[in-house]
Amino acid sequence: MKLHLPSFYTLVFAQVFLFFFINLQWLQANASSGKATDQLALLKIKQGMISDPHGIFRSWNDSLHFCNWTGITCGRRHQRVTSLVLEGQNLFGSISPYIGNLSFLMLINLQNNSLTGEIPQEVGNLFRLQEFLVNNNSLHGTIPLKLTECSQLKTIDFRRNNIAGKIPAELGSLTKLEIFAFRNNNLTGEIPPSLGNLSSLTVFSASFNDLEGNIPNEMGRLTNLNIFTIAANRISGIIPPSFFNITSLTLLSALGSQLSGSLPDNVGLVDPTSSKEHRF
Ligand SMILES: *[C@@H]1O[C@H](CO)[C@@H](O)[C@H](O)[C@H]1NC(C)=O
Ligand SMILES: *[C@@H]1O[C@H](CO)[C@@H](O)[C@H](O)[C@H]1NC(C)=O
Ligand SMILES: *[C@@H]1O[C@H](CO)[C@@H](O)[C@H](O)[C@H]1NC(C)=O
Ligand SMILES: *[C@@H]1O[C@H](CO)[C@@H](O)[C@H](O)[C@H]1NC(C)=O
Ligand SMILES: *[C@@H]1O[C@H](CO)[C@@H](O)[C@H](O)[C@H]1NC(C)=O
Ligand SMILES: *[C@@H]1O[C@H](CO)[C@@H](O)[C@H](O)[C@H]1NC(C)=O
């Protein structure tokens, strides 16, 4: 009797086919679970908003794909949320920790609202985040330490909130950070010398806080620094000699801080309430 065994090649072919089939299923399941995660995160963000006077969340409903919801932009190919822009909508509420699940997010812009509560630590999961803008809200709590894990961050604009506590020294690891803007908050403690490692920094804005101590000499290593504002704090000592080496520095505002010593020639000293500083 002759047995009809499948040939060697048939077996190899079947195995290769199975391998690809299983992987394709896995990839598809993964992509759709990523989308479900994004949708759930957005619904939780909506839930965190107590009042929405302009009714922008009305479009956040089941009959529209979430990529078409007001304020949402998705990547064209993968259909995952890349930006969340809900500025100037008079939103009152807090930021849901679920925001940390929007793993493709590059831009958060929630400026000019009335958001309260703390910035959730979960934002530290947003490893693609480049701009985090919450200027002009009522957020409190501290700068989340986990924010230092967002290694792509270029702009942190938390101006005009009630953020308290110290500037974490770990922020010095954000080598792509260009704008650090915390004017009008309740920050305390000293400026950490590690911020001298922020080699891309162009704007350091921290007027109207409760910072103390000296300006660290290490800040003089910031060769791209353009604007440095620390008016209306309790900062004392001298302007570090290393500041005379920063040729890009054009604006320094330190009124109301107890600084002494001369200023670099290229630097203009401004009143912190002037419109020039007001930009930051
Ligand atoms: C869903 O949002 C769209 C766009 O704003 C709107 O036209 C539609 O009426 C909404 N559907 C429901 C059930 O609210
Ligand atoms: C998303 O985030 C929340 C809160 O941070 C968490 O409880 C939840 O398990 C996360 N994952 C998914 C897939 O929604
Ligand atoms: C915030 O509101 C002020 C005053 O209405 C306006 O000048 C500014 O452009 C707004 N900024 C943003 C980012 O919406
Ligand atoms: C802050 O936002 C409110 C709207 O929520 C606006 O009326 C106000 O002018 C803004 N202030 C600044 C300084 O942008
Ligand atoms: C950053 O700066 C601090 C203090 O100036 C220094 O001790 C540290 O080694 C530097 N490097 C990194 C990667 O933080
Ligand atoms: C200014 O830069 C020069 C050249 O890099 C350096 O030798 C000098 O020590 C710096 N001065 C200060 C005060 O940091």
Side-chain angles (χ1 to χ4, degrees):
M1 193 172 126
K2 198 168 175 239
L3 269 174
H4 268 284
L5 286 171
S7 78
F8 174 75
Y9 291 107
T10 314
L11 269 173
V12 167
F13 178 78
Q15 289 210 358
V16 166
F17 177 79
L18 258 173
F19 176 81
F20 279 110
F21 181 74
I22 289 166
N23 268 288
L24 193 68
Q25 293 280 303
W26 182 82
L27 276 174
Q28 277 174 348
N30 233 21
S32 68
S33 84
K35 282 175 201 160
T37 303
D38 276 16
Q39 178 159 13
L40 176 64
L42 291 174
L43 289 173
K44 292 285 182 182
I45 288 168
K46 174 181 177 176
Q47 236 173 52
M49 300 300 171
I50 295 161
S51 109
D52 166 27
H54 301 308
I56 52 157
F57 289 123
R58 252 178 277 151
S59 75
W60 291 34
N61 66 49
D62 282 342
S63 56
L64 275 183
H65 189 280
F66 63 81
C67 290
N68 298 320
W69 291 354
T70 303
I72 302 302
T73 308
C74 288
R76 213 152 37 85
R77 255 182 328 115
H78 51 64
Q79 300 279 290
R80 304 286 304 275
V81 178
T82 53
S83 80
L84 173 67
V85 179
L86 301 172
E87 62 178 305
Q89 299 293 341
N90 285 312
L91 297 175
F92 174 73
S94 57
I95 304 173
S96 166
Y98 274 79
I99 197 169
N101 291 349
L102 296 172
S103 48
F104 282 77
L105 206 53
M106 294 190 288
L107 164 66
I108 299 174
N109 181 353
L110 302 170
Q111 299 184 86
N112 279 4
N113 284 294
S114 304
L115 301 178
T116 61
E118 300 193 6
I119 310 232
Q121 289 285 348
E122 285 79 359
V123 295
N125 299 334
L126 302 173
F127 61 94
R128 292 184 173 93
L129 191 64
Q130 295 181 9
E131 302 192 62
F132 193 179
L133 320 174
V134 292
N135 172 29
N136 193 18
N137 280 283
S138 301
L139 296 164
H140 53 82
T142 55
I143 301 175
L145 191 56
K146 294 265 271 170
L147 200 58
T148 61
E149 289 169 23
C150 302
S151 59
Q152 301 301 310
L153 266 175
K154 287 186 187 157
T155 306
I156 306 178
D157 185 355
F158 285 17
R159 286 170 300 159
R160 301 182 188 85
N161 279 285
N162 306 314
I163 307 291
K166 294 185 173 172
I167 301 172
E170 291 84 349
L171 276 183
S173 66
L174 295 175
T175 50
K176 295 191 174 165
L177 195 64
E178 293 167 14
I179 297 177
F180 174 95
F182 278 82
R183 181 195 164 96
N184 290 91
N185 278 282
N186 305 322
L187 294 177
T188 54
E190 302 190 2
I191 300 173
S194 63
L195 297 195
N197 295 335
L198 295 173
S199 51
S200 306
L201 202 67
T202 60
V203 175
F204 180 88
S205 145
S207 290
F208 299 99
N209 279 280
D210 206 13
L211 297 168
E212 60 187 7
N214 301 335
I215 302 174
N217 205 34
E218 286 82 352
M219 297 297 274
R221 295 204 301 247
L222 301 175
T223 51
N224 293 310
L225 195 62
N226 185 226
I227 293 176
F228 182 81
T229 68
I230 49 155
N233 281 284
R234 291 186 295 128
I235 293 181
S236 54
I238 59 161
I239 293 170
S242 57
F243 262 55
F244 291 83
N245 266 358
I246 317 178
T247 51
S248 56
L249 194 62
T250 58
L251 183 77
L252 186 128
S253 140
L255 222 72
S257 288
Q258 292 100 47
L259 281 176
S260 55
S262 56
L263 267 179
D265 286 342
N266 48 312
V267 172
L269 193 62
V270 298
D271 181 321
T273 55
S274 74
S275 59
K276 200 171 178 196
E277 187 189 328
H278 231 80
R279 287 186 295 125
F280 294 103

mmCIF file of all heavy atoms in Angstrom, residues 159 183 205-208 227 229-231 251 253-254 270-280:
data_model
loop_
_atom_site.group_PDB
_atom_site.id
_atom_site.type_symbol
_atom_site.label_atom_id
_atom_site.label_comp_id
_atom_site.label_asym_id
_atom_site.label_seq_id
_atom_site.Cartn_x
_atom_site.Cartn_y
_atom_site.Cartn_z
ATOM 1 N N ARG A 159 1.513 78.834 30.959
ATOM 2 C CA ARG A 159 1.333 80.168 31.531
ATOM 3 C C ARG A 159 -0.089 80.366 32.070
ATOM 4 O O ARG A 159 -1.030 79.777 31.570
ATOM 5 C CB ARG A 159 1.594 81.237 30.461
ATOM 6 C CG ARG A 159 3.064 81.420 30.126
ATOM 7 C CD ARG A 159 3.217 82.302 28.911
ATOM 8 N NE ARG A 159 2.560 81.722 27.764
ATOM 9 C CZ ARG A 159 2.170 82.404 26.698
ATOM 10 N NH1 ARG A 159 2.350 83.699 26.630
ATOM 11 N NH2 ARG A 159 1.595 81.788 25.695
ATOM 12 N N ARG A 183 5.019 81.628 33.118
ATOM 13 C CA ARG A 183 4.639 82.920 33.679
ATOM 14 C C ARG A 183 3.293 82.803 34.418
ATOM 15 O O ARG A 183 2.401 82.076 33.972
ATOM 16 C CB ARG A 183 4.504 83.894 32.506
ATOM 17 C CG ARG A 183 4.146 85.296 32.862
ATOM 18 C CD ARG A 183 3.679 86.042 31.607
ATOM 19 N NE ARG A 183 2.978 87.255 31.990
ATOM 20 C CZ ARG A 183 3.567 88.441 32.041
ATOM 21 N NH1 ARG A 183 4.820 88.578 31.708
ATOM 22 N NH2 ARG A 183 2.873 89.495 32.424
ATOM 23 N N SER A 205 10.415 81.414 30.418
ATOM 24 C CA SER A 205 9.499 82.430 30.920
ATOM 25 C C SER A 205 8.926 82.006 32.259
ATOM 26 O O SER A 205 8.201 81.019 32.349
ATOM 27 C CB SER A 205 8.386 82.639 29.885
ATOM 28 O OG SER A 205 7.158 82.907 30.503
ATOM 29 N N ALA A 206 9.301 82.725 33.312
ATOM 30 C CA ALA A 206 8.851 82.325 34.645
ATOM 31 C C ALA A 206 8.542 83.528 35.530
ATOM 32 O O ALA A 206 8.563 83.420 36.751
ATOM 33 C CB ALA A 206 9.901 81.431 35.290
ATOM 34 N N SER A 207 8.220 84.674 34.927
ATOM 35 C CA SER A 207 7.852 85.838 35.729
ATOM 36 C C SER A 207 6.575 85.539 36.511
ATOM 37 O O SER A 207 5.776 84.682 36.120
ATOM 38 C CB SER A 207 7.618 87.052 34.828
ATOM 39 O OG SER A 207 8.831 87.497 34.266
ATOM 40 N N PHE A 208 6.390 86.267 37.614
ATOM 41 C CA PHE A 208 5.201 86.114 38.454
ATOM 42 C C PHE A 208 5.017 84.686 38.968
ATOM 43 O O PHE A 208 4.026 84.015 38.680
ATOM 44 C CB PHE A 208 3.939 86.607 37.727
ATOM 45 C CG PHE A 208 4.003 88.061 37.357
ATOM 46 C CD1 PHE A 208 4.352 88.455 36.075
ATOM 47 C CD2 PHE A 208 3.751 89.049 38.302
ATOM 48 C CE1 PHE A 208 4.442 89.787 35.726
ATOM 49 C CE2 PHE A 208 3.838 90.392 37.968
ATOM 50 C CZ PHE A 208 4.181 90.766 36.680
ATOM 51 N N ILE A 227 14.969 84.643 25.128
ATOM 52 C CA ILE A 227 14.157 85.367 26.104
ATOM 53 C C ILE A 227 14.257 84.672 27.460
ATOM 54 O O ILE A 227 14.079 83.458 27.553
ATOM 55 C CB ILE A 227 12.684 85.421 25.633
ATOM 56 C CG1 ILE A 227 12.587 86.283 24.372
ATOM 57 C CG2 ILE A 227 11.765 85.960 26.728
ATOM 58 C CD1 ILE A 227 11.209 86.343 23.762
ATOM 59 N N THR A 229 12.894 85.431 31.327
ATOM 60 C CA THR A 229 12.112 86.324 32.174
ATOM 61 C C THR A 229 11.827 85.711 33.534
ATOM 62 O O THR A 229 11.250 84.632 33.642
ATOM 63 C CB THR A 229 10.765 86.698 31.509
ATOM 64 O OG1 THR A 229 9.936 85.541 31.450
ATOM 65 C CG2 THR A 229 10.956 87.230 30.109
ATOM 66 N N ILE A 230 12.240 86.439 34.565
ATOM 67 C CA ILE A 230 12.052 85.961 35.940
ATOM 68 C C ILE A 230 11.571 87.090 36.838
ATOM 69 O O ILE A 230 11.773 87.056 38.049
ATOM 70 C CB ILE A 230 13.357 85.375 36.508
ATOM 71 C CG1 ILE A 230 14.509 86.354 36.274
ATOM 72 C CG2 ILE A 230 13.671 84.021 35.906
ATOM 73 C CD1 ILE A 230 15.632 86.202 37.248
ATOM 74 N N ALA A 231 10.926 88.090 36.239
ATOM 75 C CA ALA A 231 10.461 89.227 37.033
ATOM 76 C C ALA A 231 9.448 88.766 38.069
ATOM 77 O O ALA A 231 8.783 87.743 37.894
ATOM 78 C CB ALA A 231 9.827 90.275 36.118
ATOM 79 N N LEU A 251 16.309 89.523 25.396
ATOM 80 C CA LEU A 251 15.331 90.062 26.326
ATOM 81 C C LEU A 251 15.475 89.415 27.688
ATOM 82 O O LEU A 251 15.481 88.196 27.811
ATOM 83 C CB LEU A 251 13.927 89.789 25.778
ATOM 84 C CG LEU A 251 12.774 90.349 26.583
ATOM 85 C CD1 LEU A 251 12.650 91.842 26.336
ATOM 86 C CD2 LEU A 251 11.495 89.660 26.211
ATOM 87 N N SER A 253 13.977 89.941 31.618
ATOM 88 C CA SER A 253 13.121 90.707 32.486
ATOM 89 C C SER A 253 13.253 90.172 33.888
ATOM 90 O O SER A 253 13.081 88.985 34.137
ATOM 91 C CB SER A 253 11.697 90.657 31.947
ATOM 92 O OG SER A 253 10.797 90.541 32.978
ATOM 93 N N ALA A 254 13.644 91.050 34.791
ATOM 94 C CA ALA A 254 13.948 90.612 36.145
ATOM 95 C C ALA A 254 13.445 91.587 37.190
ATOM 96 O O ALA A 254 13.787 91.472 38.352
ATOM 97 C CB ALA A 254 15.454 90.417 36.287
ATOM 98 N N VAL A 270 13.371 94.632 30.206
ATOM 99 C CA VAL A 270 12.013 95.158 30.000
ATOM 100 C C VAL A 270 11.171 95.050 31.264
ATOM 101 O O VAL A 270 11.438 94.280 32.162
ATOM 102 C CB VAL A 270 11.276 94.435 28.854
ATOM 103 C CG1 VAL A 270 11.984 94.613 27.553
ATOM 104 C CG2 VAL A 270 11.074 92.966 29.190
ATOM 105 N N ASP A 271 10.149 95.828 31.243
ATOM 106 C CA ASP A 271 9.131 95.808 32.273
ATOM 107 C C ASP A 271 8.293 94.535 32.044
ATOM 108 O O ASP A 271 7.868 94.258 30.931
ATOM 109 C CB ASP A 271 8.272 97.070 32.070
ATOM 110 C CG ASP A 271 7.187 97.193 33.106
ATOM 111 O OD1 ASP A 271 6.591 96.162 33.472
ATOM 112 O OD2 ASP A 271 6.927 98.333 33.537
ATOM 113 N N PRO A 272 8.066 93.752 33.096
ATOM 114 C CA PRO A 272 7.355 92.483 32.905
ATOM 115 C C PRO A 272 5.909 92.648 32.452
ATOM 116 O O PRO A 272 5.301 91.692 31.968
ATOM 117 C CB PRO A 272 7.402 91.843 34.296
ATOM 118 C CG PRO A 272 7.674 92.956 35.239
ATOM 119 C CD PRO A 272 8.471 93.962 34.482
ATOM 120 N N THR A 273 5.358 93.857 32.613
ATOM 121 C CA THR A 273 3.971 94.039 32.181
ATOM 122 C C THR A 273 3.904 94.556 30.739
ATOM 123 O O THR A 273 2.827 94.744 30.197
ATOM 124 C CB THR A 273 3.234 95.033 33.109
ATOM 125 O OG1 THR A 273 3.993 96.239 33.144
ATOM 126 C CG2 THR A 273 3.106 94.489 34.510
ATOM 127 N N SER A 274 5.082 94.774 30.133
ATOM 128 C CA SER A 274 5.085 95.293 28.770
ATOM 129 C C SER A 274 4.573 94.246 27.794
ATOM 130 O O SER A 274 4.633 93.047 28.065
ATOM 131 C CB SER A 274 6.503 95.696 28.364
ATOM 132 O OG SER A 274 7.266 94.538 28.124
ATOM 133 N N SER A 275 4.102 94.728 26.659
ATOM 134 C CA SER A 275 3.515 93.796 25.686
ATOM 135 C C SER A 275 4.585 92.877 25.113
ATOM 136 O O SER A 275 4.302 91.743 24.739
ATOM 137 C CB SER A 275 2.837 94.565 24.564
ATOM 138 O OG SER A 275 3.780 95.384 23.925
ATOM 139 N N LYS A 276 5.844 93.371 25.082
ATOM 140 C CA LYS A 276 6.915 92.556 24.524
ATOM 141 C C LYS A 276 7.100 91.272 25.327
ATOM 142 O O LYS A 276 7.219 90.183 24.788
ATOM 143 C CB LYS A 276 8.218 93.354 24.499
ATOM 144 C CG LYS A 276 9.212 92.781 23.516
ATOM 145 C CD LYS A 276 10.399 93.697 23.331
ATOM 146 C CE LYS A 276 11.387 93.039 22.363
ATOM 147 N NZ LYS A 276 12.706 93.652 22.420
ATOM 148 N N GLU A 277 7.091 91.429 26.655
ATOM 149 C CA GLU A 277 7.219 90.222 27.458
ATOM 150 C C GLU A 277 5.931 89.423 27.459
ATOM 151 O O GLU A 277 5.931 88.202 27.598
ATOM 152 C CB GLU A 277 7.622 90.524 28.913
ATOM 153 C CG GLU A 277 7.889 89.190 29.611
ATOM 154 C CD GLU A 277 8.103 89.241 31.121
ATOM 155 O OE1 GLU A 277 8.624 90.237 31.603
ATOM 156 O OE2 GLU A 277 7.739 88.251 31.766
ATOM 157 N N HIS A 278 4.816 90.105 27.317
ATOM 158 C CA HIS A 278 3.526 89.456 27.432
ATOM 159 C C HIS A 278 3.353 88.283 26.476
ATOM 160 O O HIS A 278 2.572 87.383 26.712
ATOM 161 C CB HIS A 278 2.395 90.468 27.230
ATOM 162 C CG HIS A 278 1.389 90.405 28.321
ATOM 163 N ND1 HIS A 278 1.600 91.004 29.532
ATOM 164 C CD2 HIS A 278 0.206 89.774 28.417
ATOM 165 C CE1 HIS A 278 0.562 90.753 30.321
ATOM 166 N NE2 HIS A 278 -0.289 90.007 29.667
ATOM 167 N N ARG A 279 4.092 88.323 25.382
ATOM 168 C CA ARG A 279 4.032 87.202 24.437
ATOM 169 C C ARG A 279 4.449 85.910 25.125
ATOM 170 O O ARG A 279 4.050 84.837 24.716
ATOM 171 C CB ARG A 279 4.933 87.481 23.233
ATOM 172 C CG ARG A 279 4.357 88.535 22.308
ATOM 173 C CD ARG A 279 5.191 88.690 21.058
ATOM 174 N NE ARG A 279 6.523 89.206 21.362
ATOM 175 C CZ ARG A 279 7.649 88.614 21.001
ATOM 176 N NH1 ARG A 279 7.612 87.490 20.321
ATOM 177 N NH2 ARG A 279 8.808 89.141 21.314
ATOM 178 N N PHE A 280 5.288 86.062 26.148
ATOM 179 C CA PHE A 280 5.679 84.870 26.897
ATOM 180 C C PHE A 280 5.432 85.018 28.382
ATOM 181 O O PHE A 280 6.094 84.506 29.198
ATOM 182 C CB PHE A 280 7.143 84.520 26.604
ATOM 183 C CG PHE A 280 7.337 84.108 25.180
ATOM 184 C CD1 PHE A 280 7.892 84.970 24.269
ATOM 185 C CD2 PHE A 280 6.906 82.865 24.747
ATOM 186 C CE1 PHE A 280 8.050 84.593 22.946
ATOM 187 C CE2 PHE A 280 7.059 82.485 23.430
ATOM 188 C CZ PHE A 280 7.638 83.362 22.523
#
